[in-house]
Structure formats: C-alpha cells, structure tokens
Amino acid sequence: MAARAELARLRPSKVCCARAELGGMLRAGGSLRLGGENRLTVAVETEHPEVARKALLLFRRVAGLPAEVVVEEHGPLRRRIYQVRLVPGPEARRLLADLEILTPEGGIGVDVPASLVRGDCCRAAFLRGVYLVSGSVCDPRGSGYHLEMVVSNEEFAHGLYYLLRLAKFKVHQARRKGREVVYLKDADDIAAFLGLIGAHTALLELEGIRVVKEVRGGVNRLVNAETANVEKSVAAAVEQIRWIEVIREKIGLERLPKALREMALVRLAHPEASLAELGQLLARPISKSAVNHRLRRLRRLAEEMTEEG
Ligand SMILES: [Zn+2]
C-alpha cells in the first residue's frame, strides 16, 4: 500500500497546515545537534526519498529557508538515510521556536505542540507529517489490520496517543526495541485515519481488500452452514436406514405396501441422496415432502414393531 508515496505528493493548501505538517515531521523524525559556537543543526531524517523531498519543500514554504540533503548509508545492508538539514542560523532558530521545538527557556519541546494541532485542518496535517516519517500500514491480506507510528521519544508518543484518543480512535501504545509504538488495530479506525491524513487511494485500496475479505468470510460461513446441513441429512439417512432394517428383520420389505417398499429400497440403495433426490429416483417421481411423509410412515411402522418386542 503506497500510503506514504501518496501523502508525500500532497501539497498543503494553507500555510498553517504546511507549518503543522513540518512540525509533525520534525517531532517524529527530527534530529537536533548542537555544534560549535552554539550553532544548532536541525534535520528531518528519513529513509524515504519522497519524504525527504517533501521536507525540503516544506522548509522552503514555511520558513523560506534553504535546506540541504545529505545521504548516509547505515549498517551492513547499507540502508540509506536521507537527512534534510537546515542551514544553521538565526532564521533556523526562529523556525524552531515557532514550531515549539525550541522552548522559550532554550530547552527542547518534545510533546505535541498545542499551537500546531488547534484547527481540524492543522491536526490532520500534523498527523500526516508524523505518519510520513514514522508510520506504516501493513497489508491486511497478510495477518490483520495494523497501522503504526514508531517514535523514539516516550513523551511525544504519549502526546500522540492522547491526540488520537481525543479524535475518538481506539489507540494502543507499546514499547518495542526501546522505541515507542503508537498503533491502531481496528479496520474502521485505520480507514478513518488514512482518510483523515489524506491517503485516499490507500484508503480505497484498503476498503477494496475489506470488501473481498468480507465476501470471502460470507462464503466461508455458507460453506460451513452447508457442511452442517450435509451432516444433519447424513445423520437422518443413517436413522432412516436403521428403521428400514428393523422392518426387514421383523416382517420383510416385501410385505410393505408398494409405495413404502419402493421408498425403502431406494433409500437403502442411495444412502447419500437428499429427500428431493430420493423423490426423483422413484418410478413415479414425487416431491420432497411426499418423500418425507413416506419415510415418516416407515419410521412409525418400525417403532410399532420394536414396541411390540
Ligand atoms: Zn491548517
């Protein structure tokens, strides 16, 4: 599901939302480094080139600041990490203060900044920014429905958790390998979340899979019901054959009235046939309910014979 690629292409129409989205990206996947001469370097880190491109664009749009992209390779698999870095300077500091990443006291803000999520439009944009750098949704064709955002800061994870809870999502939080995971498991919630942050194609794809899944579930239920019915009719046939055997033992089938004798013989010859099929197997075909009627008469006869001893 290409939710991220779709979201990376989205361009926020309002400046307030562009600011919120950049804030979300920096909160979830930003890094701050203090260099010499108190120079602060801020960067968005991501392994997705389309996300890096979007960060570059948002830096320019929100603060009018140039940024540079540095590519690093990590680990034996040479995983590529894109660092979109702001050139250090007073403007960068101003932007960080504006996004509440630098607090007025000079500290680093780690929670969800209220000013970025006040409006509905901005809240959605903020969540989009967070999802772009830290989120993923797994293909529900595999295990189950699962959408998660993985962040390193516990306080920010809590903030994200409460933000989603306020938006009425059934949200969960867990720690995995020293990182915080905020996730959704409910299919309706995942669909609503994707819709909220603007991943409409991914949402449609998910809904398509859901429809297929539900249809398949319906078919399974039908097959199960049918199996149950087959088992029921097999049990009934076994019982009918038992009565017929009783009659044969007691008086012999040849002494039965012609209609009942034929019914008994057809049942014995076709133990697997349904009542409707039995009716068609007679020399003069009869309906399912007529078959049922004759079988009941055979049963009554057998019962009378066993009662007599
Ligand atoms: Zn907005």
Side-chain angles (χ1 to χ4, degrees):
M1 207 172 295
R4 194 185 328 276
E6 182 182 10
L7 293 171
R9 277 195 305 272
L10 271 184
R11 301 280 175 262
S13 53
K14 294 192 269 183
V15 180
C16 64
C17 297
R19 179 175 163 261
E21 189 166 349
L22 181 60
M25 287 173 100
L26 282 168
R27 272 297 196 291
S31 76
L32 286 180
R33 280 176 209 162
L34 206 56
E37 295 169 26
N38 210 16
R39 274 154 64 105
L40 196 61
T41 307
V42 58
V44 169
E45 288 186 350
T46 173
E47 46 186 297
H48 307 283
E50 69 271 27
V51 175
R53 211 172 304 128
K54 181 151 200 186
L56 206 61
L57 209 121
L58 287 176
F59 273 132
R60 206 177 306 136
R61 169 115 188 255
V62 173
L65 292 175
E68 55 180 3
V69 183
V70 181
V71 187
E72 290 174 354
E73 285 178 342
H74 288 263
L77 294 173
R78 319 198 71 185
R79 208 160 54 98
R80 285 190 150 193
I81 300 289
Y82 298 84
Q83 280 205 20
V84 186
R85 287 207 296 233
L86 263 190
V87 176
E91 296 93 343
R93 261 180 190 273
R94 215 169 297 138
L95 173 72
L96 292 179
D98 177 50
L99 295 178
E100 295 184 43
I101 287 169
L102 275 186
T103 64
E105 300 80 38
I108 291 167
V110 285
D111 54 354
V112 173
S115 76
L116 292 189
V117 295
R118 207 161 280 144
D120 285 346
C121 60
C122 296
R123 199 176 307 131
F126 180 81
L127 287 171
R128 188 189 310 130
V130 173
Y131 182 89
L132 271 170
V133 292
S134 71
S136 63
V137 56
C138 77
D139 189 332
R141 274 171 290 204
S143 46
Y145 294 92
H146 187 93
L147 182 146
E148 67 177 27
M149 287 168 274
V150 183
V151 299
S152 32
N153 189 282
E154 192 178 352
E155 205 176 330
F156 176 63
H158 280 313
L160 194 57
Y161 174 88
Y162 283 109
L163 183 65
L164 288 168
R165 249 186 53 175
L166 278 176
K168 303 272 184 283
F169 288 105
K170 289 183 282 295
V171 57
H172 311 268
Q173 190 180 341
R175 173 167 283 197
R176 191 203 298 149
K177 291 180 196 157
R179 306 195 77 196
E180 299 294 324
V181 187
V182 177
Y183 63 98
L184 304 174
K185 289 298 289 175
D186 181 84
D188 286 330
D189 273 1
I190 292 172
F193 182 83
L194 289 174
L196 175 72
I197 62 176
H200 297 293
T201 309
L203 167 65
L204 286 176
E205 218 172 284
L206 177 83
E207 294 288 5
I209 294 168
R210 275 178 84 186
V211 168
V212 170
K213 264 198 154 180
E214 272 157 27
V215 167
R216 204 173 292 149
V219 168
N220 282 341
R221 272 192 298 281
L222 271 182
V223 168
N224 289 340
E226 209 152 276
T227 308
N229 280 337
V230 166
E231 277 163 11
K232 234 186 280 169
S233 61
V234 165
V238 167
E239 211 172 322
Q240 289 152 11
I241 289 167
R242 231 184 37 200
W243 307 327
I244 295 167
E245 296 292 357
V246 167
I247 297 168
R248 179 147 70 183
E249 215 176 283
K250 296 278 179 184
I251 61 166
L253 296 180
E254 60 283 356
R255 287 178 59 190
L256 286 172
K258 187 170 172 278
L260 290 187
R261 184 173 67 233
E262 194 190 2
M263 188 75 257
L265 290 172
V266 167
R267 172 82 286 179
L268 288 177
H270 303 277
E272 76 298 335
S274 69
L275 298 191
E277 285 163 349
L278 286 180
Q280 296 307 305
L281 286 164
L282 296 172
R284 287 174 65 188
I286 59 172
S287 70
K288 178 180 162 183
S289 69
V291 169
N292 204 17
H293 179 71
R294 288 187 193 182
L295 287 171
R296 266 208 303 269
R297 280 175 63 196
L298 284 169
R299 175 188 179 169
R300 223 172 299 131
L301 275 173
E303 281 170 353
E304 282 166 13
M305 287 172 192
T306 43
E307 274 161 26
E308 280 166 14

